Each structure stands twice: as structure tokens, then as C-alpha cells.
């Protein structure tokens, strides 16, 4: 556990977890199809990912130069993902305070949607961090946490899979899928943890 991590967290501080909860629940709110992202363990997933080797930048080239690349080249940064998310959250909070007079988690739902839309469109600008790039990374990791195998901390109750009627481990369902061709395939999803 990191020194400044919130109790029960591996690396996220209270402020970071609060921001991520508000952002994730704005991106994936509770509705008739599924619970909200945070209720599905998405923040736990993000905490694990950022605390692990990927978050620390393992296997990522981070030596300079780090000039802005073309979209197809992906992010060009010397920061490890954990450091990028920490800086991105700080920048998003600073922009939100400047634009709305309070932190992101304190905004109402409509204001949070507007703030995220401004980041996505590149209208939210603050020095040092590209908030559009941060939004894209945030959206990607929230979606990963919502749809990943539950063994990684997210997709609690396999809510993301149930919403899509995804059966889980595809290789395990090969015969059943072949036999169900042309018919609706209804089966309870199974994760890696179910077969371990």
C-alpha cells in the first residue's frame, strides 16, 4: 500500500478515489440495465491497475523525447500511468475549481456531465496536462473495469457481462455456442475465478 493511499486502497488517495467515483458514475450511471460503475467495483479495478506493474510503467517506453504524437501513436509521455492519472486528476480538479468554484465530486450530475464533455472536446484547458488525453485514458480504464473479468476487481456480479448477455470465458462455451447458432443463447456468465 502506498504511503498516501486511502484506507483500504492500494494507491488511490481519498481525493483521487472521490474524483474517480464521481467520474466513473457519471460515465456509467445506474440504470435499468446495470448498477453504477462504482457499485460494480470499477474504482477497485482502477486502484489495482494503477498500483500494479502497468501503473508503475512496466514494459512502457518512457525515455524522451515525449513530443505530442499523432493520434494513432497513442500517448507520448515520460509519466508512468499512475503518475499520469495522479497529474490528470489534479489538473481536472484545478480546472473544475476554476470553472465551477468547487471540486468535481461536489458538482451535480449535470455539471459533471458538462465538465467531462468539456474535457472530451478539448475545451477544458489547463497548463501541463492535456485534459482531452486524460479524459480518453479515464474513459478507457472505466470501461475496462466495467467489462473486465471480475477476478481483476471490477465487473462485480458480472454486471457488465450480464448487461451484454456475454457468457464469460468464450473457449469454455464453444460447443454450446455452436449448438445455439441462430437461437438466443442464455447462460449464466462465468469468470476465471469460477474455474480456478
Amino acid at each position: 500500500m502506498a504511503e498516501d493511499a486511502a484506507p483500504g486502497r492500494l494507491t488511490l488517495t481519498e481525493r483521487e478515489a472521490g474524483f474517480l467515483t464521481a467520474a466513473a458514475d457519471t460515465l456509467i450511471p445506474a440504470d435499468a440495465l446495470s448498477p453504477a460503475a462504482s457499485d460494480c467495483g470499477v474504482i477497485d479495478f482502477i486502484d489495482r491497475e494503477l498500483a500494479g506493474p502497468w501503473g508503475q510503467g512496466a514494459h512502457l517506453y518512457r525515455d524522451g523525447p515525449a513530443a505530442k504524437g499523432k493520434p494513432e501513436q497513442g500517448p507520448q509521455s515520460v509519466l508512468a500511468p499512475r503518475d499520469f492519472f495522479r497529474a490528470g486528476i489534479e489538473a481536472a480538479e484545478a480546472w473544475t475549481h476554476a470553472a465551477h468554484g468547487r471540486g468535481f465530486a461536489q458538482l451535480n450530475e449535470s455539471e459533471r456531465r458538462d465538465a467531462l464533455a468539456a474535457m472530451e472536446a478539448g475545451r477544458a484547458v489547463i497548463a501541463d496536462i492535456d485534459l482531452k488525453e486524460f479524459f480518453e485514458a479515464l474513459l478507457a480504464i472505466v470501461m475496462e473495469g466495467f467489462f473486465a473479468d471480475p477476478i481483476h476487481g471490477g465487473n462485480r456480479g458480472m454486471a457488465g457481462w450480464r448487461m451484454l448477455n456475454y457468457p464469460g470465458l468464450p473457449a469454455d462455451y464453444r460447443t454450446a455456442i455452436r449448438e445455439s447458432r441462430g437461437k438466443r443463447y442464455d447462460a449464466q456468465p462465468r469468470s476465471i475465478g469460477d474455474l480456478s
Side-chain angles (χ1 to χ4, degrees):
M1 175 154 56
E3 281 183 33
D4 57 347
R9 297 280 177 205
L10 299 173
T11 191
L12 295 175
T13 65
E14 290 280 350
R15 184 173 188 211
E16 291 167 341
F19 173 90
L20 289 170
T21 299
D25 287 351
T26 303
L27 293 168
I28 303 177
D31 61 17
L33 299 175
S34 74
S38 64
D39 294 331
C40 293
V42 169
I43 309 312
D44 298 332
F45 172 86
I46 294 171
D47 188 42
R48 287 182 183 187
E49 288 296 300
L50 294 179
W54 175 79
Q56 302 309 312
H59 307 294
L60 294 176
Y61 180 81
R62 293 184 294 133
D63 290 338
K68 181 117 175 107
K70 296 178 182 177
E72 62 269 16
Q73 294 172 316
Q76 304 291 309
S77 177
V78 296
L79 296 176
R82 174 65 183 108
D83 298 328
F84 175 76
F85 271 88
R86 177 163 281 154
I89 291 168
E90 287 301 316
E93 287 285 15
W95 180 83
T96 303
H97 272 282
H100 296 279
R102 55 197 189 284
F104 187 84
Q106 286 72 47
L107 300 178
N108 66 42
E109 188 176 335
S110 175
E111 291 170 325
R112 287 196 305 263
R113 280 194 310 267
D114 291 345
L116 289 175
M119 289 179 212
E120 180 181 25
R123 294 188 314 267
V125 178
I126 196 152
D128 299 328
I129 290 289
D130 182 341
L131 287 176
K132 180 176 174 50
E133 187 177 307
F134 171 68
F135 173 83
E136 291 166 358
L138 173 66
L139 178 61
I141 203 166
V142 167
M143 289 173 49
E144 288 168 18
F146 191 72
F147 292 113
D149 192 287
I151 202 167
H152 302 292
N155 194 11
R156 190 173 294 136
M158 294 180 253
W161 292 357
R162 291 179 195 284
M163 182 181 74
L164 299 174
N165 200 29
Y166 176 69
L169 298 172
D172 189 51
Y173 292 91
R174 188 176 348 173
T175 304
I177 291 171
R178 187 172 38 249
E179 292 169 359
S180 299
R181 192 168 310 277
K183 298 179 269 183
R184 181 173 171 86
Y185 179 68
D186 286 317
Q188 290 299 313
R190 294 179 5 168
S191 80
I192 295 169
D194 295 331
L195 302 175
S196 303

